[in-house]
């Protein structure tokens, strides 16, 4: 009988230890989420302070962009007024503000004098650094929220969560369509730059010499390498060879010999 009582007491003590450990872990995770959120809030306030100075600097050079400035000011006020809201509402307001700021920065690209202004460059650099810290803090906060919410839903920790009213935390996700948009990729333009035509495609069955003939400065497209079946240049052609070709005056390759590749 004594051993039964001891066994029961041991089980009760073990369960109590597990309950206390699980509860304390919930408290620790909740405090970690609150701390990581405060770090984000600090950087958001820093951005709120930078925006008026940045707007005033841009206004001095681009006064007619009035609608852009008014939109930024309105969304900044809206974001400041949502400081007591939950993370989802804060994220929605911050996403709209980020979009307005991005639009303003795009509109100033047509003002070279503004882009060379040291005050504007300094504010732009500080804003970029602040945005990077906000993004890093958001990733850290969301990772902590994910672990916390998983424990609230998992068994048996969900018993402790329900007993002591630990509720799920909200994520801080900025729903920016420009970031989430799928980039358009055109495989026909790989290797070319803007305004430059893509290289011609080789037709099926067309012979190739295996050499690359670059367009040299000053050629103006005059260099033409006539081809015959087999891919070798015609005999007697006197045009200048391309860079990497055989030296001037060297005989053309005979049948069955590989073309000159520039090696010794």
């Amino acid at each position: 009988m004594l051993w039964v009582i001891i066994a029961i007491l041991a089980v009760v003590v073990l369960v109590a230890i597990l309950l206390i450990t699980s509860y304390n872990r919930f408290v620790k995770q909740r405090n970690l989420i609150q701390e990581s959120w405060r770090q984000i809030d600090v950087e958001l306030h820093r951005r709120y302070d930078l925006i008026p100075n940045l707007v005033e600097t841009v206004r001095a050079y681009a006064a007619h962009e009035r609608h852009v400035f008014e939109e930024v000011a309105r969304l900044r006020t809206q974001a400041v007024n949502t400081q007591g809201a939950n993370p989802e509402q804060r994220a929605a307001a911050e996403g709209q503000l980020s979009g307005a700021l991005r639009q303003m920065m795009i509109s100033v690209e047509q003002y070279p004098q503004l882009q060379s202004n040291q005050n504007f460059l300094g504010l732009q650099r500080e804003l970029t650094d602040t945005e990077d810290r906000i993004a890093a803090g958001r990733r850290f906060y969301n990772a902590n929220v994910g672990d916390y919410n998983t424990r609230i839903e998992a068994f048996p920790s969900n018993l402790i969560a329900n007993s002591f009213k630990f509720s799920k935390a909200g994520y801080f996700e900025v729903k920016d369509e420009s970031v989430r948009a799928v980039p358009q990729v055109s495989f026909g333009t790989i290797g070319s730059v803007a305004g430059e035509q893509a290289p011609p495609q080789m037709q099926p069955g067309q012979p190739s010499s295996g050499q690359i003939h670059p367009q040299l400065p000053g050629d103006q497209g005059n260099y033409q390498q006539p081809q015959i079946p087999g891919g070798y240049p015609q005999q007697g052609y006197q045009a200048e060879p391309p860079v990497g070709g055989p030296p001037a005056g060297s005989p053309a390759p005979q049948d069955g010999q590989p073309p000159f590749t520039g090696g010794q």
Side-chain angles (χ1 to χ4, degrees), residues 5 20 23 27 55 69 88-89 131 139 141 154 181 197 201 218 226 243 255 262:
I5 297 176
I20 294 174
Y23 176 85
V27 173
V55 169
F69 305 141
E88 290 88 347
Q89 295 173 339
E131 296 285 355
R139 290 191 295 268
Y141 170 83
Q197 295 182 354
Q201 300 294 327
V243 175
D255 292 341

Side-chain angles (χ1 to χ4, degrees), residues 6-247:
I6 294 176
I8 294 176
L9 292 176
V11 171
V12 171
V13 171
L14 180 61
V15 171
I17 293 175
L18 293 177
L19 291 177
I20 294 174
T21 302
S22 181
Y23 176 85
N24 290 340
R25 186 179 176 187
F26 270 119
V27 173
K28 182 179 179 180
Q29 287 182 303
R30 185 177 60 186
N31 292 340
L32 184 60
I33 290 175
Q34 294 174 354
E35 178 62 26
S36 57
W37 175 254
R38 280 192 288 267
Q39 295 297 325
I40 296 177
D41 195 55
V42 168
E43 298 302 333
L44 291 177
H45 278 83
R46 177 179 175 83
R47 185 169 70 163
Y48 298 154
D49 295 338
L50 287 173
I51 289 175
N53 295 331
L54 184 64
V55 169
E56 290 303 321
T57 303
V58 175
R59 193 195 304 271
Y61 289 85
H64 65 281
E65 302 283 354
R66 180 178 178 181
H67 64 285
V68 178
F69 305 141
E70 291 178 350
E71 183 68 7
V72 171
R74 183 184 69 83
L75 293 176
R76 175 188 177 275
T77 302
Q78 175 180 305
V80 172
N81 292 335
T82 59
Q83 293 184 38
N86 56 47
E88 290 88 347
Q89 295 173 339
R90 291 288 301 272
E94 294 299 332
Q96 294 178 356
L97 179 58
S98 297
L101 283 173
R102 187 179 300 106
Q103 182 63 35
M104 185 183 71
M105 301 307 293
I106 292 176
S107 66
V108 304
E109 292 180 355
Q110 56 184 332
Y111 302 98
Q113 294 181 350
L114 176 60
Q115 296 184 13
S116 62
N117 182 273
Q118 295 300 320
N119 187 32
F120 171 76
L121 293 177
L123 291 172
Q124 186 183 36
R125 190 179 306 110
E126 290 185 33
L127 182 62
T128 301
D129 294 341
T130 302
E131 296 285 355
D132 292 341
R133 288 193 290 269
I134 292 175
R138 183 171 64 245
R139 290 191 295 268
F140 181 65
Y141 170 83
N142 288 336
N144 293 328
V145 170
D147 294 339
Y148 177 77
N149 290 344
T150 299
R151 290 198 63 233
I152 287 180
E153 296 178 350
F155 180 84
S157 56
N158 62 340
L159 301 177
I160 304 299
N162 295 332
S163 300
F164 293 95
K165 308 299 182 183
F166 287 101
S167 58
K168 296 177 66 175
Y171 289 93
F172 183 68
E173 296 178 336
V174 178
K175 295 178 175 59
D176 192 343
E177 297 299 331
S178 63
V179 175
R180 298 175 182 270
V182 178
Q184 300 296 326
V185 179
S186 176
F187 291 98
T189 59
I190 293 179
S192 62
V193 297
E196 180 182 0
Q197 295 182 354
Q201 300 294 327
M202 181 67 68
Q203 298 297 329
Q206 180 179 350
S208 173
S209 64
Q211 294 178 287
I212 299 176
H213 304 289
Q215 181 71 27
L216 302 178
D219 282 349
Q220 303 298 329
N222 295 329
Y223 182 82
Q224 300 292 334
Q225 183 74 358
Q227 300 289 333
I228 62 175
Y232 300 118
Q234 294 179 354
Q235 296 289 341
Y237 188 73
Q238 300 298 326
E240 285 292 326
V243 175

